[in-house]
Amino acid sequence: MAAIDDLKTLLSQDVSQLDTLADILGREKTCLATSDLEALNELTREKNDLLGAIRERAKQKIRTLVQMGYHPESGEPSRFIRSAGLSDLFQLWQEADQKLRACQTLNQNNGRVITHLQKRLTRLTDIFRGANGQQKLYGARGEHTTVSSRTVLASA
């Protein structure tokens, strides 16, 4: 019974901190839109602290589930919880999972904004260097690289 209570406590903490993380990700998007670097740095620190706590709790949840008889190789923990007939614990697990997925979506959206800003900065840098009208090729990761006629490929 103590393991079930421990797991409920861990999941409740996850739900609370995932709400906080979603808020931080929303503020991060605003900072990206307004180019507020000081606030963005602070939010990044807060986000990293929260993620560290969530990761540590994930390890604790697995240890607690193993104490309850869960075998990690048997599949998803949610199936184990549901098959054990712990409906309130299963509901809490589902709520934490939904909030985690929402945070992942927000983080991916912010990642796309960052990628767009990086591409825009690269284009501006190319314009400043005078390389704007030159050919571009795709690199191994799909990024653009400028091919300049001034690039020395070999020398004799």
Side-chain angles (χ1 to χ4, degrees):
M1 237 9 180
I4 294 172
D5 292 335
D6 290 345
L7 193 55
K8 283 182 183 178
T9 301
L10 292 170
L11 287 169
S12 296
Q13 290 172 347
D14 275 352
V15 167
S16 174
Q17 285 194 331
L18 287 168
D19 283 335
T20 304
L21 181 60
D23 179 58
I24 288 173
L25 290 168
R27 289 185 290 154
E28 182 181 60
K29 185 175 182 180
T30 302
C31 288
L32 288 169
T34 60
S35 300
D36 187 354
L37 296 180
E38 288 181 32
L40 189 60
N41 284 333
E42 181 61 33
L43 288 174
T44 301
R45 278 191 285 279
E46 287 180 44
K47 183 171 71 168
N48 287 336
D49 291 344
L50 271 176
L51 289 173
I54 291 169
R55 283 186 197 106
E56 188 58 38
R57 248 191 328 280
K59 293 174 189 174
Q60 292 173 350
K61 287 186 293 192
I62 293 297
R63 285 192 292 266
T64 304
L65 283 166
V66 167
Q67 288 175 354
M68 294 170 60
Y70 169 70
H71 300 285
E73 63 277 355
S74 66
E76 293 184 18
S78 60
R79 288 194 305 177
F80 170 77
I81 294 169
R82 186 175 36 185
S83 67
L86 305 169
S87 60
D88 54 340
L89 188 61
F90 180 72
Q91 292 290 336
L92 198 53
W93 186 278
Q94 290 295 99
E95 182 181 0
D97 185 57
Q98 289 170 353
K99 290 185 183 292
L100 178 64
R101 291 180 193 279
C103 286
Q104 287 173 331
T105 301
L106 290 170
N107 195 50
Q108 288 171 347
N109 290 340
N110 288 354
R112 284 198 271 301
V113 169
I114 290 170
T115 300
H116 174 73
L117 291 171
Q118 287 173 332
K119 286 180 182 180
R120 192 167 93 188
L121 181 63
T122 300
R123 281 185 293 208
L124 288 172
T125 304
D126 286 347
I127 290 170
F128 286 135
R129 287 187 317 179
N132 192 29
Q134 297 175 348
Q135 294 179 343
K136 296 198 181 263
L137 296 176
Y138 287 104
R141 294 185 184 161
E143 73 278 1
H144 284 104
T145 54
T146 303
V147 178
S148 174
S149 59
R150 291 177 262 146
T151 303
V152 177
L153 297 176
S155 61

